[in-house]
Amino acid sequence: MSEIQNKMFQEIRSKEIFNQVQQYSYEYLNSIFNRNVYPSEEALDNLSVFNEELPENSTKATKVIEQLNTYGNPATTATLGGRYFGFVAGSAVPVGLAAKNLGTYWDQAPAMNVLSPIGSKLESVVEKWLVNLFNLPKKTSAGFVSGTSTANLCGLAAARYRILERNNWNINEKGLRNSPKIRIVTSKQAHSTVLKAVGILGLGKENIEWVDVDKQGRIIPEEIPELDANTILVLQAGNVNSGAFDNFEIICEKAKKANTWVHIDGAFGLWAEAVNELKYLTKGLENASSWAVDGHKTLNTPYDCGIILCADQEAMTSALHMSGSYIVESSERDGMFYTPEMSRRARIIELWSIMKYLGKKGIDEMILTMNQRAKQFANEIEKITGFYVENEIVFNQVIVRCDSDKITENVLLNIQQLRECWLGGSIWFEKKVMRVSICSWATTESDITKAVKSFEKALEISKK
Ligand SMILES: Cc1ncc(COP(=O)(O)O)c(C=O)c1O
């Protein structure tokens, strides 16, 4: 046995690092809800301790973990807490963190059933749960990927495969050169990851037929050009700024008649379909062909967890297919046929655990609460002179601005420096705005009130 091998067996026998990590993890979780949301200047400066050359010799394991915790922990952003409103960053349901921890020790890669029977089983089960929860066509398949960026890519890859196949063109064999033209229609508010997927797939951003949006950022149905069977129409469930939903009921039915492939980017908004009071927002989504959604946003799975759902299983698995003489295909699910990667981590472990833990009622309640907190935030902030809410609060997003771009910019900077909550900015119809995304199970009424006070303080500071 080599020295390093011996050392590693010894780490397991002594249990020291595992107990150490468990203790650090609890301490972190217990502190995160009351802690400043953004790291202090000191914590950021201290990150310089990581600027070192790769050591010549092995380091003591407890020292490695200790350094990570001492300097890493304070330099994390408190996305798990109740006052992180940046981007659309979900928290993590506690059972998901625990299950992920267990899954880390299992270290499974659900590429093939034979490589991870448990991973494969959970993927099959959750696929059915999701299809049911989102009321999608019965034969819809799911691929478990890192996020909606990849899920959008997979949805559009399946669309590209099917449209070209109908034109007697096998994209996998012939490539794009001289292929029949695919039209892409989407709104001027499409998320940039959709455009990225269009670029990666060689469909060409220049070819996009852009459609105007209304004041909430929803595609205007009457402005959508004539659709046909060679078109991919990309719609949105949840605008990244306003949270608005395109009108699937009208648009998807029309698209279906034209045999157009509709892909819905529902990174955080697709979950509205799982909430009784909010499912009016997603009415008609079952008439689309593919849907992209994240677990790590609204469902609050730990990072990373995205899902591609596709009604045309053959198109999806053909678009993502690979083979090799050493691949062992089974009669059960082999996850790699539903994702671009062969090896990937078994994120299904946390996803399954959280869905099982919450159940339909828990999912409904958790997401509706986010919606109520967003409405609370909008109500409270509008009572303060100098703040304006720019969108209808249909889901979890609130857009706020001040009297001028300059003041908005200053106030945002002050909020960030106060560190009592954290959010970012954006541009909304040519005005600078602040984006408040309520996407954490942990956000309470008092978190909202505390955040609103921080906004007020930030406005006062900007006047000095
Ligand atoms: C509408 C929309 N689409 C796609 C994405 C990208 O998702 P991910 O970061 O999981 O890749 C986001 C992220 O916020 C989003 O809001």
Side-chain angles (χ1 to χ4, degrees):
M1 194 184 296
S2 72
E3 201 181 318
I4 194 76
Q5 212 176 1
N6 191 25
K7 192 177 170 195
M8 288 193 273
F9 278 122
Q10 183 51 33
E11 307 303 354
I12 296 173
R13 276 195 298 271
S14 82
K15 297 189 198 155
E16 231 181 332
I17 43 174
F18 303 101
N19 291 332
Q20 189 188 8
V21 162
Q22 194 171 36
Q23 193 195 331
Y24 290 161
S25 312
Y26 280 132
E27 283 168 7
Y28 184 77
L29 266 184
N30 280 333
S31 69
I32 205 69
F33 302 101
N34 298 315
R35 209 191 82 170
N36 268 353
V37 177
Y38 199 78
S40 66
E41 289 304 327
E42 188 192 359
L44 297 176
D45 287 346
N46 285 344
L47 286 176
S48 59
V49 301
F50 291 100
N51 298 339
E52 55 179 341
E53 296 296 324
L54 177 65
E56 195 57 41
N57 296 312
S58 166
T59 310
K60 200 168 183 296
T62 49
K63 283 269 172 242
V64 173
I65 302 295
E66 190 187 312
Q67 178 181 343
L68 198 56
N69 188 58
T70 307
Y71 300 103
N73 166 334
T76 58
T77 49
T79 50
L80 283 183
R83 275 171 284 110
Y84 188 89
F85 307 129
F87 312 101
V88 189
S91 174
V93 174
V95 76
L97 288 172
K100 186 180 179 193
N101 203 13
L102 180 62
T104 297
Y105 290 113
W106 292 353
D107 198 28
Q108 296 290 285
M112 289 166 263
N113 180 275
V114 74
L115 191 52
S116 178
I118 177 63
S120 171
K121 170 54 83 183
L122 295 182
E123 287 196 350
S124 308
V125 169
V126 171
E127 178 181 74
K128 288 203 191 79
W129 286 359
L130 290 170
V131 169
N132 233 313
L133 196 65
F134 294 139
N135 294 304
L136 301 179
K138 285 274 168 293
K139 286 193 176 146
T140 300
S141 314
F144 299 94
V145 294
S146 57
T148 294
S149 305
T150 310
N152 280 337
L153 180 73
C154 295
L156 298 195
R160 184 182 70 163
Y161 177 88
R162 176 56 74 215
I163 290 173
L164 292 179
E165 185 271 337
R166 280 199 222 114
N167 285 276
N168 297 317
W169 189 273
N170 184 324
I171 177 69
N172 294 338
E173 301 303 324
K174 297 188 175 184
L176 275 179
R177 181 180 265 241
N178 300 325
S179 66
K181 183 163 169 23
I182 296 177
R183 291 173 59 208
I184 313 275
V185 176
T186 195
S187 89
K188 289 182 177 165
Q189 283 284 328
H191 193 268
S192 48
T193 54
V194 170
L195 312 187
K196 185 175 181 169
V198 167
I200 293 174
L201 291 167
L203 298 171
K205 290 183 226 173
E206 266 187 17
N207 296 320
I208 295 177
E209 297 171 47
W210 297 103
V211 184
D212 269 331
V213 292
D214 65 16
K215 289 219 163 70
Q216 298 302 317
R218 293 173 294 224
I219 197 167
I220 301 174
E222 300 75 33
E223 306 263 323
I224 295 175
E226 186 88 26
L227 298 172
D228 60 35
N230 285 341
T231 303
I232 305 173
L233 171 63
V234 184
L235 300 178
Q236 193 162 236
N239 178 291
V240 73
N241 290 314
S242 69
F245 291 66
D246 290 338
N247 187 334
F248 307 129
E249 195 177 16
I250 293 179
I251 305 167
C252 292
E253 205 180 304
K254 204 165 140 196
K256 201 168 188 180
K257 283 188 190 136
N259 208 9
T260 295
W261 184 293
V262 178
H263 172 79
I264 297 181
D265 172 1
F268 60 96
L270 206 70
W271 293 101
E273 179 65 24
V275 184
N276 280 331
E277 274 191 47
L278 302 178
K279 61 169 49 176
Y280 74 95
L281 293 165
T282 40
K283 201 162 178 209
L285 96 167
E286 69 281 0
N287 284 324
S289 304
S290 54
W291 306 262
V293 61
D294 272 328
H296 59 226
K297 291 188 168 67
T298 314
L299 188 66
N300 280 218
T301 67
Y303 284 108
D304 49 21
C305 178
I307 305 142
I308 174 64
L309 294 146
C310 186
D312 184 341
Q313 184 190 23
E314 194 200 58
M316 178 162 148
T317 54
S318 301
L320 303 173
H321 196 82
M322 62 161 282
S323 58
S325 54
Y326 73 109
I327 304 292
V328 184
E329 288 193 35
S330 82
S331 54
E332 302 293 320
R333 181 188 167 95
D334 296 311
M336 63 186 236
F337 297 131
Y338 303 83
T339 60
E341 312 95 329
M342 184 174 174
S343 300
R344 75 204 142 86
R345 68 182 198 86
R347 51 180 67 90
I348 193 65
I349 293 170
E350 313 81 270
L351 181 56
W352 174 85
S353 305
I354 287 174
M355 291 187 78
K356 165 111 178 156
Y357 170 78
L358 292 173
K360 282 188 189 167
K361 269 197 183 155
I363 293 173
D364 181 308
E365 193 180 325
M366 181 177 78
I367 299 171
L368 187 62
T369 305
M370 292 172 192
N371 172 251
Q372 288 163 347
R373 297 284 179 268
K375 286 180 177 159
Q376 182 197 342
F377 184 92
N379 282 338
E380 292 189 17
I381 201 77
E382 270 195 321
K383 289 192 186 126
I384 302 172
T385 311
F387 287 114
Y388 309 90
V389 172
E390 291 290 280
N391 63 320
E392 286 168 20
I393 316 303
V394 291
F395 200 58
N396 67 331
Q397 301 291 119
V398 188
I399 303 176
V400 185
R401 71 167 172 88
C402 300
D403 281 307
S404 69
D405 276 2
K406 192 150 179 30
I407 302 176
T408 303
E409 221 170 32
N410 273 337
V411 169
L412 178 59
L413 204 66
N414 293 338
I415 293 169
Q416 290 174 345
Q417 280 171 359
L418 285 167
R419 293 175 161 80
E420 292 160 336
C421 61
W422 201 93
L423 55 136
S426 190
I427 304 280
W428 188 245
F429 292 100
E430 287 161 31
K431 284 197 182 114
K432 292 209 165 145
V433 293
M434 298 181 269
R435 297 176 64 256
V436 181
S437 176
I438 315 275
C439 204
S440 165
W441 67 265
T443 304
T444 60
E445 282 101 334
S446 63
D447 280 320
I448 297 293
T449 304
K450 199 167 172 183
V452 169
K453 287 220 171 82
S454 196
F455 271 63
E456 198 172 10
K457 244 187 273 175
L459 183 61
E460 285 308 312
I461 298 169
S462 75
K463 288 177 186 160
K464 284 178 190 156

